[in-house]
Amino acid sequence: MELLQLRYFLEVAESEHVTHSAQKLRVSQPSLTQAISRLERELSVQLFEPEGRGIRLTEAGRFYSKRIAKAVGEIDSATSELARFDEERSSIVRINVVSASNIVVDAVAEWRAQHPAAKFQIVSSETASKIEPCDIEVRMQTGKTPEAKGARLFKERIMLAVPTTNGDETEKPDAGFRDNSGRGERPGGEERDIAASDALANGRGEAISLAQMQNSGFIMLAGSRNISNLCLSQCVKLGFRPIIAFESDNPSVVRKMIGLGLGVGFWPEHSWGELGAGARLAPILEPGFVRTIEVARTRHGGSNEQADGFYSFLLQRFEARWNI
């Protein structure tokens, strides 16, 4: 049984005239008659009976017509709704942002100002794209997932954000941020405090050795954030674990705390933007403090002209931040 057969049946049931229905459906009368006969054979029920020079529905035919009309109506309605759903879905740009979220959010705001009808759906998950298709992914390369085909890569140093100093007064990075977890002071803590103060007093942007900062209080991203994992693993390789004075799972909060000069912390050179007035960036002397941001136009979500346009726009914003 085919949907076309049912449509033919409904038309003949309404007109009760094969010739008129054939003309309306733009098919030959024999073809229409054969389709109705085939349907009756499949149902093992007579749907029409002769009446004068025409035909009329049998009692079974009237019953079947009412039921089928509802079913075909639902199919037609679902088809129309599906078309609207697909049109609406294709106008939504789905973005999975795992890294460099402030660049993406600023770009979305700019794009929306220029394209008020644009719609965005933003998630932040390492596995989101495997569950729900997305159009664009922005993530830090970790080696756990393969590089997306055609992705643009943006490499940046991870700097040390330290409080600024005024004149001869040196602002100690760990003031008010001592480790109170019972671990106690590390050997040589006083000497390290002096070394850290000397390092912070250097306002010329010269590289700072993390060995000088071991006794300082660090402001960190909580949880399994890739950038925190990278920095912590590099510190362990250097033979120490940072004293975490403050941590938050919100990157904006961490950026704000460091920018206010309330402690020292790791700060990506480009993607996190400018520091606040109370802190400055210094290169880290030890190697390994570098990361790569991957910006990819995925095709999981199918064709999406809005996503294509925004992807090009987003790349321009990354290039501007990297001064490319």
Side-chain angles (χ1 to χ4, degrees), residues 22-275:
Q23 292 173 348
K24 185 175 181 179
L25 294 170
R26 295 184 179 181
V27 297
S28 66
Q29 182 174 332
S31 296
L32 182 57
T33 301
Q34 290 174 12
I36 297 300
S37 297
R38 188 167 62 251
L39 179 61
E40 290 179 323
R41 288 196 300 272
E42 292 174 1
L43 296 172
S44 299
V45 173
Q46 184 178 356
L47 300 174
F48 296 95
E49 60 184 4
E51 184 182 51
R53 298 179 62 182
I55 57 173
R56 68 176 181 182
L57 285 167
T58 62
E59 185 175 351
R62 285 191 294 273
F63 169 81
Y64 192 61
S65 175
K66 291 179 182 178
R67 299 297 297 271
I68 288 301
K70 292 180 180 179
V72 173
E74 285 294 322
I75 292 174
D76 290 340
S77 177
T79 302
S80 299
E81 290 175 10
L82 180 61
R84 289 194 297 270
F85 169 80
D86 187 60
E87 181 180 354
E88 181 178 343
R89 184 174 178 273
S90 64
S91 68
I92 297 176
V93 181
R94 295 170 296 279
I95 312 174
N96 182 26
V97 186
V98 185
S99 301
S101 58
N102 62 324
I103 300 179
V104 177
V105 172
D106 288 347
V108 167
E110 287 186 61
W111 184 263
R112 282 271 297 159
Q114 300 174 24
H115 305 83
K119 300 177 183 178
F120 289 86
Q121 184 180 84
I122 300 177
V123 297
S124 179
S125 172
E126 288 289 348
T127 59
S129 60
K130 298 178 182 178
I131 301 172
E132 179 67 24
C134 62
D135 300 300
I136 298 171
E137 283 191 294
V138 181
R139 64 172 67 246
M140 171 181 152
Q141 284 192 335
T142 62
K144 296 179 181 178
T145 55
E147 179 182 318
K149 185 178 180 181
R152 284 289 303 276
L153 305 180
F154 296 87
K155 191 174 183 179
E156 64 180 342
R157 294 181 296 175
I158 297 175
M159 312 284 277
L160 193 65
V162 297
T164 55
T165 58
N166 297 314
D168 295 331
E169 297 182 5
T170 301
E171 186 178 345
K172 291 190 177 184
D174 53 345
F177 289 99
R178 288 291 185 183
D179 178 22
N180 296 319
S181 62
R183 288 177 290 180
E185 296 291 341
R186 292 192 178 93
E190 183 177 350
E191 290 78 3
R192 288 198 178 96
D193 280 347
I194 295 173
S197 297
D198 291 341
L200 296 180
N202 167 25
R204 296 187 299 275
E206 296 178 2
I208 294 178
S209 172
L210 284 179
Q212 298 174 280
M213 313 302 294
Q214 291 187 35
N215 223 38
S216 300
F218 279 74
I219 300 174
M220 302 285 290
L221 273 174
S224 59
R225 298 283 182 172
N226 290 325
I227 187 170
S228 292
N229 290 341
L230 171 63
C231 295
L232 289 174
S233 65
Q234 289 300 120
C235 288
V236 170
K237 290 179 182 179
L238 296 174
F240 78 99
R241 294 188 67 87
I243 297 174
I244 300 176
F246 177 87
E247 60 182 348
S248 170
D249 61 359
N250 188 328
S252 297
V253 172
V254 173
R255 286 196 298 269
K256 183 69 172 179
M257 295 289 287
I258 296 175
L260 290 173
L262 300 178
V264 300
F266 298 107
W267 189 286
E269 184 178 14
H270 300 297
S271 60
W272 278 21
E274 298 293 330
L275 271 169

